[in-house]
Amino acid sequence: MTRKIDYESVLNPEQLKAVMTLSGPVLVIAGAGSGKTRTLIYRVARLVETGVPPEAILLLTFTRKSAQEMLNRASELSDKRCRFVSGGTFHALAFRVLRNHAKELGYQNSFTILDRSDMEEVLRSLVPDLKMNGKPARFPKRGTLANIISKAANLEQPIEELMMNEFGQFMEVAPHIQTLGKLYTEYKKTHQLMDYDDLIIRFRQLLMENGPIRKELGEQYRYVMVDEYQDTNCIQADIVRWLAHDHQNVMVVGDDSQSIYSFRGANFRNMLDFPNAFPNTKIIKLEQNYRSTQPILALTNALMDFAGEKYTKCLFTKREGGDKPKVIDTHTEQEQATYISRYVRNAVSNGTRLNDVAVLFRAAYHSFELEAELTRQGIPYVKYGGFKFLESAHIKDFLAHMRVVINPDETVSWLRILRLIKNIGQGKSQKIIKWMKENRIAPWDLCKWPKLGKRDSGLKPLGDLLLRLSQQHLTPVEAVSHVMAYYVPLLRERYDDYPRREKELEQLSPMAERYGKLRAFLDDLVLDPPGSTEDISRETSNEKLTLSTVHSAKGLEWPVVFVIWAMEGKFPSARAYNNPDDLEEERRLMYVATTRAKDSLMISYPGSEVPAWSGYSQGGEGLSTFISSLPPDVYGHESGKMGRFNARPERPGWHKQRAGTGFTNASSPQSFSPGDRVRHPAFGAGVVSKFHPGDKVEVFFKTAGKKLLHMSYTTLEKI
């Protein structure tokens, strides 16, 4: 077939090399914004153009939609037959193969797939079979059980080991959940069922153990291509290895620097290990960036210079101009929200589209103060990742306790708080509300309900809370404290992920500190109805500011990007300090965040929010090590309060970094002795307990408990 595309004119040299290398193993390291999708599309077109039957090409992606879009674009570029390339997800391919070969694994070809809700229902039905002696204090709900068993399967990790690392609040019942996992496996086999995890696990098993089937699939799919290879888990990497075992014609495309999904089981080392699995691998790096200005790339390149394990690459662009990224100390969380809101208003008045601005953050709750400020300012926004602050059920429940004191006739809030009490359902709640209204009963007199029985004992504690909330001169901070003491035990009973939700509730206290009256606090925060920001956006403009977690922003881009809460303990997360691998992923997460920016990048942190126990004074010492460790010429440091540039702050106690880590090593284990009192930037004050091999020290912290710290990746200061 004659060549239809002038590849040299539409591809840069490295893209061209990837497209034209059709045989043998190829690893394409595709830097952020370097045109990896374009490269895949043109390579599909090139394969078909050279006479490879479309059915012999396999394109594996993480969504069916992305595979279809790539194949449609390839067919428009070159040959309509590109639509017939086999494209889809690992799970879809596994299902097609297993349907034809299930008998080799002891299944009937008519086996049934369990979706997530089916899986949860089966687990729920098996719990009584555990025959637990006495009811445990706490047993996970079925959704959490499914998360535990599924992730353990994906990571090929014992359930108890996984729980030790990620579900510590349920370790008391870990043996029971281990047993439940075995019962679940037996149930599936007996009833001819497979869940999503089984599909890829059984597919790999078939490829490993059955040579004839492996050979058949190798002949069917003579050219294998995989997108986003850094997001594969070890099972999927094995599948790729076995599919291409005989012909070795496999190209994987990805960026190890953008591997941020370890919580789903993804293993960025699959990128690093690919040349070991395929010894004759040709490595091609796509480093020309088509998204960002060079000053932004200078910062992102420097950020990854400190990564421990990586493919070295240096992104560059032919775009000219651009300002240095700004690092802004806004001093307080409120001023951070005000600064961004003011910036957005000014930018829009100067012609910037609201859709062209995004605010990114490490965790969903980091945007709560900003959301409140944007709502006050009438700036429409849309949030991705987590819920909007006021849409979260636990936030609504929490605020409802204060709202009924301000307005006893607010039926919606009464229904919310009454249904949290054991043995009080919808019907009984409505009867209580009707009785209170008809008899003008004060909120704190709930326990006087004439039909009160022994099973309604929860009404008295609620009445006591409402009495405390009704006191004159009660400040909003005191009100939040009272509700916290009452509601947190209910929260822990109601939600398996209560640690995260409790952390989000804690954000209400600093918000309340700025108010003298409870009504003003609730009015400003809630702005009834809660969905008013959506109404504003429809009435005034179709454009909205984007708020997003970094995980949800991957693959997207905006002309203007803010990265907020760039502070130690926030970004990187305090939970990451225990494990060097977790810290490395936090660095990659910061890289993903900063590479979303096309024209302007601003990184903010409320420097005065550094906790007193951290040992840092004000003036920039709370800035994320990821940023403060960068060369001083890649960004400008600005005071958000004063609106002028300042010298880059020095960080007392943070010494010269160890090469390749990006983290400081203020002292070695030899600097401490068991019993020494120390301070950690995220965990606070603690006492050295003992030392472990491998440059590790065990410390008991006053607020964070026992932590095992790697001295190469942390800083301890002797008190």
Side-chain angles (χ1 to χ4, degrees):
M1 185 179 293
T2 57
R3 191 164 130 184
K4 298 179 180 178
I5 301 174
D6 182 4
Y7 293 97
E8 288 86 350
S9 66
V10 293
L11 300 171
N12 69 41
E14 295 305 306
Q15 291 173 336
L16 183 65
K17 191 184 300 182
V19 167
M20 293 302 181
T21 306
L22 303 182
S23 301
V26 183
L27 172 62
V28 178
I29 311 297
S34 63
K36 74 172 180 64
T37 302
R38 181 182 184 83
T39 303
L40 284 167
I41 290 166
Y42 276 92
R43 190 169 191 266
V44 168
R46 178 60 179 161
L47 284 167
V48 174
E49 192 176 80
T50 56
V52 177
E55 298 81 4
I57 305 169
L58 176 65
L59 174 62
L60 289 171
T61 61
F62 276 83
T63 65
R64 184 187 64 81
K65 181 181 177 184
S66 64
Q68 199 58 54
E69 287 177 350
M70 280 192 264
L71 297 179
N72 287 342
R73 286 177 60 185
S75 67
E76 292 167 3
L77 281 172
S78 172
D79 192 314
K80 296 295 181 186
R81 292 180 303 149
C82 290
R83 295 179 187 273
F84 300 111
V85 166
S86 299
T89 65
F90 281 90
H91 291 84
L93 173 65
F95 178 70
R96 290 200 303 269
V97 174
L98 292 176
R99 183 63 85 196
N100 293 327
H101 299 287
K103 291 182 179 178
E104 281 81 351
L105 295 170
Y107 282 81
Q108 298 299 316
N109 289 347
S110 57
F111 70 86
T112 302
I113 296 294
L114 288 172
D115 64 16
R116 184 53 180 249
S117 60
D118 295 332
M119 178 187 184
E120 292 181 9
E121 190 59 37
V122 171
L123 290 172
R124 184 194 63 79
S125 71
L126 293 174
V127 169
D129 294 345
L130 295 176
K131 297 183 172 57
M132 291 179 279
N133 295 325
K135 189 176 180 181
R138 181 66 182 266
F139 199 76
K141 294 180 172 58
R142 57 188 180 185
T144 304
L145 290 171
N147 286 339
I148 293 170
I149 290 172
S150 177
K151 187 163 186 181
N154 271 287
L155 291 177
E156 300 181 282
Q157 192 176 35
I159 285 175
E160 291 195 45
E161 183 180 327
L162 173 77
M163 292 182 64
M164 176 72 75
N165 294 329
E166 300 188 31
F167 296 88
Q169 66 266 41
F170 296 115
M171 281 308 296
E172 178 187 351
V173 294
H176 293 301
I177 299 175
Q178 185 87 36
T179 302
L180 181 64
K182 294 175 182 176
L183 293 174
Y184 176 59
T185 299
E186 294 166 2
Y187 181 95
K188 289 184 291 183
K189 196 68 182 287
T190 301
H191 294 85
Q192 292 293 302
L193 300 167
M194 285 193 201
D195 59 26
Y196 292 138
D197 303 317
D198 292 323
L199 287 175
I200 60 171
I201 292 170
R202 298 296 186 186
F203 183 30
R204 180 185 62 175
Q205 180 186 350
L206 191 67
L207 290 168
M208 290 173 60
E209 298 176 356
N210 196 305
I213 292 176
R214 183 171 66 241
K215 184 177 180 182
E216 173 192 327
L217 289 171
E219 291 174 350
Q220 179 180 353
Y221 301 119
R222 300 204 312 270
Y223 294 87
V224 178
M225 302 168 66
V226 187
D227 188 21
E228 302 284 11
Y229 192 67
Q230 79 279 349
D231 293 334
T232 55
N233 61 27
C234 292
I235 300 167
Q236 292 163 326
D238 284 346
I239 288 171
V240 172
R241 184 163 58 90
W242 288 112
L243 281 173
H245 181 268
D246 294 334
H247 55 66
Q248 299 280 295
N249 295 326
V250 55
M251 173 187 276
V252 299
V253 181
D255 183 2
D256 53 298
S257 296
Q258 296 188 71
S259 181
I260 59 174
Y261 294 114
S262 65
F263 65 90
R264 296 180 187 168
N267 188 345
F268 88 103
R269 288 189 176 86
N270 288 344
M271 292 283 291
L272 303 176
D273 293 341
F274 186 83
N276 298 327
F278 296 93
N280 296 316
T281 294
K282 184 174 186 178
I283 299 177
I284 300 171
K285 296 181 183 179
L286 305 184
E287 297 175 293
Q288 184 173 345
N289 179 281
Y290 294 90
R291 176 186 298 155
S292 306
T293 62
Q294 193 61 52
I296 292 173
L297 297 179
L299 183 144
T300 60
N301 286 334
L303 184 62
M304 293 312 295
D305 282 345
F306 290 105
E309 295 180 272
K310 64 179 183 296
Y311 284 106
T312 301
K313 56 184 174 294
C314 185
L315 298 184
F316 68 93
T317 183
K318 292 186 177 179
R319 290 185 61 189
E320 296 181 354
D323 296 326
K324 281 185 183 181
K326 293 179 182 178
V327 176
I328 305 153
D329 182 356
T330 61
H331 300 275
T332 68
E333 183 180 10
Q334 170 57 31
E335 288 178 62
Q336 180 173 247
T338 303
Y339 182 95
I340 293 171
S341 299
R342 186 170 63 244
Y343 177 93
V344 169
R345 280 196 171 281
N346 291 339
V348 170
S349 67
N350 289 324
T352 301
R353 296 173 63 239
L354 203 51
N355 287 348
D356 288 342
V357 185
V359 181
L360 308 183
F361 30 85
R362 172 64 183 86
Y365 73 87
H366 289 172
S367 70
F368 288 170
E369 180 72 44
L370 176 59
E371 290 178 58
E373 181 63 28
L374 291 171
T375 302
R376 282 192 285 269
Q377 296 291 330
I379 298 174
Y381 67 91
V382 59
K383 182 177 179 181
Y384 299 100
F387 289 98
K388 285 186 178 180
F389 185 40
L390 297 178
E391 290 175 356
S392 301
H394 55 295
I395 300 293
K396 285 187 171 183
D397 289 342
F398 190 97
L399 296 176
H401 293 85
M402 293 181 273
R403 292 175 67 173
V404 297
V405 173
I406 297 299
N407 180 9
D409 293 325
E410 218 222 283
T411 302
V412 172
S413 289
W414 273 113
L415 287 171
R416 291 195 78 90
I417 65 176
L418 287 171
R419 75 183 183 194
L420 293 172
I421 300 174
K422 286 181 180 178
N423 305 315
I424 295 184
Q426 188 81 2
K428 189 178 288 187
S429 295
Q430 290 176 336
K431 290 177 182 177
I432 293 172
I433 293 169
K434 183 180 179 183
W435 164 73
M436 293 180 70
K437 285 187 176 180
E438 289 178 350
N439 296 278
R440 297 186 175 278
I441 303 296
W444 50 86
D445 285 333
L446 272 173
C447 55
K448 294 180 180 178
W449 188 43
K451 296 184 180 181
L452 184 72
K454 291 183 179 179
R455 289 168 53 85
D456 305 321
S457 58
L459 287 175
K460 186 177 187 308
L462 175 58
D464 292 343
L465 169 68
L466 299 179
L467 179 60
R468 288 193 293 273
L469 294 178
S470 302
Q471 295 172 0
Q472 282 191 340
H473 310 301
L474 183 77
T475 67
V477 173
E478 292 170 335
V480 167
S481 177
H482 288 320
V483 180
M484 191 77 78
Y486 170 84
Y487 179 68
V488 166
L490 302 179
L491 178 85
R492 292 180 175 181
E493 288 181 16
R494 197 173 184 84
Y495 300 105
D496 283 344
D497 61 345
Y498 65 84
R500 175 184 65 82
R501 294 176 187 261
E502 196 171 329
K503 197 172 185 67
E504 293 178 354
L505 288 174
E506 290 170 2
Q507 305 304 305
L508 287 166
S509 185
M511 292 184 187
E513 287 177 352
R514 301 193 308 274
Y515 293 86
K517 299 288 186 181
L518 184 58
R519 182 184 294 275
F521 170 59
L522 293 176
D523 285 348
D524 261 10
L525 187 61
V526 181
L527 292 171
D528 197 21
S532 59
T533 53
E534 295 298 324
D535 297 334
I536 291 169
S537 66
R538 282 196 294 269
E539 290 171 8
T540 60
S541 168
N542 290 325
E543 294 194 2
K544 298 176 185 176
L545 174 69
T546 297
L547 308 184
S548 179
T549 60
V550 182
H551 284 102
S552 296
K554 187 172 178 288
L556 303 175
E557 60 184 42
W558 294 268
V560 180
V561 169
F562 276 92
V563 180
I564 64 174
W565 274 112
M567 292 184 70
E568 292 295 287
K570 297 286 189 179
F571 200 168
S573 166
R575 289 179 297 178
Y577 288 101
N578 264 356
N579 188 327
D581 287 342
D582 290 345
L583 277 172
E584 287 291 287
E585 179 153 329
E586 292 285 311
R587 177 179 295 281
R588 297 194 294 271
L589 199 60
M590 180 66 81
Y591 177 78
V592 169
T594 52
T595 53
R596 300 310 94 198
K598 296 168 69 175
D599 305 322
S600 297
L601 172 63
M602 283 155 285
I603 301 169
S604 68
Y605 69 106
S608 298
E609 300 287 342
V610 182
W613 48 257
S614 71
Y616 295 134
S617 60
Q618 297 179 10
E621 281 75 14
L623 179 60
S624 169
T625 315
F626 294 149
I627 305 303
S628 66
S629 62
L630 298 178
D633 59 343
V634 300
Y635 66 83
H637 194 272
E638 180 180 340
S639 169
K641 193 169 188 178
M642 302 304 294
R644 61 174 183 266
F645 280 91
N646 296 328
R648 183 167 175 266
E650 294 296 325
R651 293 170 59 79
W654 290 79
H655 304 299
K656 191 173 181 180
Q657 294 178 298
R658 290 169 59 100
T661 66
F663 285 84
T664 55
N665 185 12
S667 41
S668 64
Q670 288 73 25
S671 304
F672 302 103
S673 302
D676 281 350
R677 295 175 62 237
V678 294
R679 182 179 288 111
H680 185 275
F683 301 131
V687 177
V688 174
S689 172
K690 57 185 175 182
F691 301 102
H692 294 264
D695 207 24
K696 295 176 182 176
V697 60
E698 184 179 285
V699 182
F700 280 93
F701 290 102
K702 183 177 180 180
T703 56
K706 183 173 71 174
K707 299 290 181 182
L708 183 63
L709 305 176
H710 196 300
M711 293 304 296
S712 298
Y713 293 84
T714 192
T715 293
L716 284 179
E717 176 191 356
K718 189 181 291 186
I719 301 177

